Short mmCIF file of all heavy atoms in Angstrom, two decimals:
data_model
loop_
_atom_site.label_atom_id
_atom_site.label_comp_id
_atom_site.label_asym_id
_atom_site.label_seq_id
_atom_site.Cartn_x
_atom_site.Cartn_y
_atom_site.Cartn_z
N ALA A 4 17.52 75.67 27.08
CA ALA A 4 16.17 75.26 27.58
C ALA A 4 16.17 74.52 28.95
O ALA A 4 15.21 74.74 29.63
CB ALA A 4 15.60 74.36 26.52
N ASP A 5 17.17 73.80 29.19
CA ASP A 5 17.33 73.04 30.46
C ASP A 5 17.31 73.98 31.66
O ASP A 5 16.79 73.81 32.67
CB ASP A 5 18.52 72.26 30.44
CG ASP A 5 18.70 71.17 31.58
OD1 ASP A 5 17.71 71.09 32.31
OD2 ASP A 5 19.75 70.80 31.86
N GLY A 6 17.98 75.13 31.46
CA GLY A 6 18.09 76.13 32.58
C GLY A 6 16.84 77.05 32.79
O GLY A 6 16.65 77.64 33.75
N VAL A 7 15.98 77.05 31.64
CA VAL A 7 14.93 78.03 31.84
C VAL A 7 13.52 77.39 31.69
O VAL A 7 12.52 78.03 32.02
CB VAL A 7 14.96 79.21 30.75
CG1 VAL A 7 16.20 79.98 30.85
CG2 VAL A 7 14.88 78.58 29.35
N ASN A 8 13.42 76.12 31.33
CA ASN A 8 12.13 75.46 31.18
C ASN A 8 12.25 74.05 31.98
O ASN A 8 13.09 73.21 31.57
CB ASN A 8 11.90 75.20 29.71
CG ASN A 8 10.57 74.49 29.54
OD1 ASN A 8 9.94 73.96 30.46
ND2 ASN A 8 10.09 74.59 28.36
N PRO A 9 11.47 73.94 33.02
CA PRO A 9 11.47 72.78 33.74
C PRO A 9 11.33 71.43 32.98
O PRO A 9 11.87 70.36 33.34
CB PRO A 9 10.33 72.82 34.72
CG PRO A 9 10.10 74.25 34.85
CD PRO A 9 10.42 74.86 33.49
N MET A 10 10.64 71.49 31.89
CA MET A 10 10.51 70.34 30.86
C MET A 10 11.71 70.23 30.02
O MET A 10 11.75 69.20 29.24
CB MET A 10 9.19 70.49 30.17
CG MET A 10 8.01 70.27 30.97
SD MET A 10 6.41 70.09 30.00
CE MET A 10 6.75 68.48 29.45
N LYS A 11 12.66 71.06 30.07
CA LYS A 11 13.87 71.06 29.18
C LYS A 11 13.51 70.99 27.78
O LYS A 11 14.08 70.15 26.92
CB LYS A 11 14.70 69.83 29.60
CG LYS A 11 15.13 69.82 31.03
CD LYS A 11 15.84 68.56 31.38
CE LYS A 11 16.24 68.60 32.86
NZ LYS A 11 17.01 67.42 33.24
N GLN A 12 12.51 71.86 27.34
CA GLN A 12 12.11 71.87 25.94
C GLN A 12 12.13 73.29 25.44
O GLN A 12 12.18 74.32 26.18
CB GLN A 12 10.76 71.37 25.78
CG GLN A 12 10.48 69.99 26.36
CD GLN A 12 8.93 69.54 26.26
OE1 GLN A 12 8.15 70.29 26.37
NE2 GLN A 12 8.77 68.23 26.11
N VAL A 13 12.04 73.43 24.15
CA VAL A 13 11.87 74.72 23.50
C VAL A 13 10.40 74.64 22.95
O VAL A 13 9.80 73.51 22.65
CB VAL A 13 12.75 75.08 22.46
CG1 VAL A 13 14.19 75.27 23.08
CG2 VAL A 13 12.86 73.90 21.42
N PRO A 14 9.72 75.68 22.69
CA PRO A 14 10.23 77.05 22.75
C PRO A 14 10.05 77.75 24.16
O PRO A 14 9.32 77.25 25.08
CB PRO A 14 9.23 77.74 21.88
CG PRO A 14 7.92 77.11 22.02
CD PRO A 14 8.30 75.62 22.14
N VAL A 15 10.90 78.79 24.39
CA VAL A 15 10.80 79.48 25.53
C VAL A 15 10.75 80.97 25.09
O VAL A 15 11.62 81.46 24.24
CB VAL A 15 11.96 79.36 26.41
CG1 VAL A 15 12.03 80.27 27.59
CG2 VAL A 15 12.06 77.79 26.95
N LEU A 16 9.83 81.81 25.63
CA LEU A 16 9.78 83.21 25.34
C LEU A 16 10.22 84.03 26.63
O LEU A 16 9.56 83.70 27.64
CB LEU A 16 8.43 83.67 24.81
CG LEU A 16 8.29 85.09 24.76
CD1 LEU A 16 9.07 85.77 23.55
CD2 LEU A 16 6.78 85.51 24.57
N GLU A 17 11.24 84.87 26.55
CA GLU A 17 11.60 85.58 27.61
C GLU A 17 11.46 87.07 27.18
O GLU A 17 11.86 87.41 26.16
CB GLU A 17 13.09 85.38 28.07
CG GLU A 17 13.27 84.02 28.65
CD GLU A 17 14.74 83.83 29.09
OE1 GLU A 17 15.61 84.32 28.44
OE2 GLU A 17 14.94 83.24 30.15
N CYS A 18 10.86 87.89 27.96
CA CYS A 18 10.82 89.37 27.75
C CYS A 18 10.59 90.05 29.02
O CYS A 18 10.53 89.48 30.15
CB CYS A 18 9.57 89.50 26.83
SG CYS A 18 8.02 88.92 27.51
N THR A 19 10.64 91.39 28.91
CA THR A 19 10.50 92.21 30.13
C THR A 19 9.16 93.02 30.02
O THR A 19 8.83 93.59 29.06
CB THR A 19 11.59 93.22 30.17
OG1 THR A 19 12.86 92.52 30.18
CG2 THR A 19 11.64 94.16 31.46
N ASP A 20 8.40 92.97 31.16
CA ASP A 20 7.19 93.72 31.26
C ASP A 20 7.54 95.14 31.26
O ASP A 20 8.31 95.62 32.20
CB ASP A 20 6.46 93.36 32.62
CG ASP A 20 5.12 93.96 32.65
OD1 ASP A 20 4.98 95.19 32.42
OD2 ASP A 20 4.17 93.30 33.03
N THR A 21 7.07 95.92 30.35
CA THR A 21 7.46 97.43 30.25
C THR A 21 6.79 98.28 31.22
O THR A 21 7.32 99.31 31.51
CB THR A 21 7.07 97.91 28.72
OG1 THR A 21 5.58 97.74 28.69
CG2 THR A 21 7.91 97.26 27.71
N VAL A 22 5.82 97.74 32.03
CA VAL A 22 5.26 98.64 33.06
C VAL A 22 5.90 98.23 34.36
O VAL A 22 6.37 99.17 35.06
CB VAL A 22 3.76 98.12 33.18
CG1 VAL A 22 3.20 99.00 34.32
CG2 VAL A 22 3.05 98.59 31.88
N THR A 23 6.10 97.01 34.71
CA THR A 23 6.78 96.65 36.00
C THR A 23 8.28 96.46 35.93
O THR A 23 8.90 96.46 36.95
CB THR A 23 6.12 95.40 36.61
OG1 THR A 23 6.43 94.23 35.64
CG2 THR A 23 4.68 95.48 36.59
N GLY A 24 8.75 96.13 34.75
CA GLY A 24 10.20 95.81 34.62
C GLY A 24 10.55 94.35 34.95
O GLY A 24 11.60 93.98 34.96
N ASP A 25 9.46 93.62 35.37
CA ASP A 25 9.64 92.13 35.71
C ASP A 25 10.09 91.39 34.44
O ASP A 25 9.60 91.68 33.27
CB ASP A 25 8.30 91.61 36.24
CG ASP A 25 7.95 92.14 37.56
OD1 ASP A 25 8.82 92.79 38.25
OD2 ASP A 25 6.73 91.96 37.96
N ARG A 26 10.91 90.39 34.71
CA ARG A 26 11.31 89.47 33.65
C ARG A 26 10.20 88.36 33.51
O ARG A 26 9.90 87.83 34.56
CB ARG A 26 12.66 88.77 33.96
CG ARG A 26 13.20 87.90 32.85
CD ARG A 26 14.56 87.52 33.22
NE ARG A 26 14.93 86.37 32.34
CZ ARG A 26 16.04 85.76 32.37
NH1 ARG A 26 16.95 86.01 33.33
NH2 ARG A 26 16.35 84.84 31.53
N LEU A 27 9.72 88.18 32.34
CA LEU A 27 8.58 87.23 32.14
C LEU A 27 9.23 86.07 31.20
O LEU A 27 10.08 86.26 30.40
CB LEU A 27 7.43 87.93 31.42
CG LEU A 27 6.83 89.08 31.99
CD1 LEU A 27 5.82 89.66 30.90
CD2 LEU A 27 6.27 88.75 33.25
N ARG A 28 8.75 84.87 31.61
CA ARG A 28 9.19 83.66 30.89
C ARG A 28 7.98 82.76 30.64
O ARG A 28 7.27 82.40 31.59
CB ARG A 28 10.26 82.94 31.59
CG ARG A 28 10.85 81.66 30.92
CD ARG A 28 11.89 80.99 31.74
NE ARG A 28 13.07 81.83 31.81
CZ ARG A 28 13.88 81.79 32.86
NH1 ARG A 28 13.68 80.95 33.83
NH2 ARG A 28 14.95 82.58 32.92
N PHE A 29 7.79 82.40 29.44
CA PHE A 29 6.70 81.55 28.98
C PHE A 29 7.21 80.40 28.20
O PHE A 29 8.15 80.65 27.40
CB PHE A 29 5.59 82.33 28.18
CG PHE A 29 5.10 83.52 28.95
CD1 PHE A 29 5.46 84.82 28.59
CD2 PHE A 29 4.20 83.48 29.99
CE1 PHE A 29 5.04 85.92 29.21
CE2 PHE A 29 3.68 84.55 30.67
CZ PHE A 29 4.19 85.81 30.34
N THR A 30 6.59 79.27 28.31
CA THR A 30 6.96 78.06 27.53
C THR A 30 5.65 77.51 26.86
O THR A 30 4.55 77.85 27.17
CB THR A 30 7.51 76.99 28.43
OG1 THR A 30 6.48 76.39 29.36
CG2 THR A 30 8.72 77.48 29.21
#
Side-chain angles (χ1 to χ4, degrees):
D5 188 15
V7 297
N8 182 345
M10 291 192 70
K11 301 177 184 180
Q12 297 174 335
V13 292
V15 175
L16 172 67
E17 292 183 322
C18 57
T19 302
D20 185 315
T21 57
V22 176
T23 66
D25 293 341
R26 184 175 171 183
L27 305 173
R28 183 179 294 150
F29 305 104
T30 66

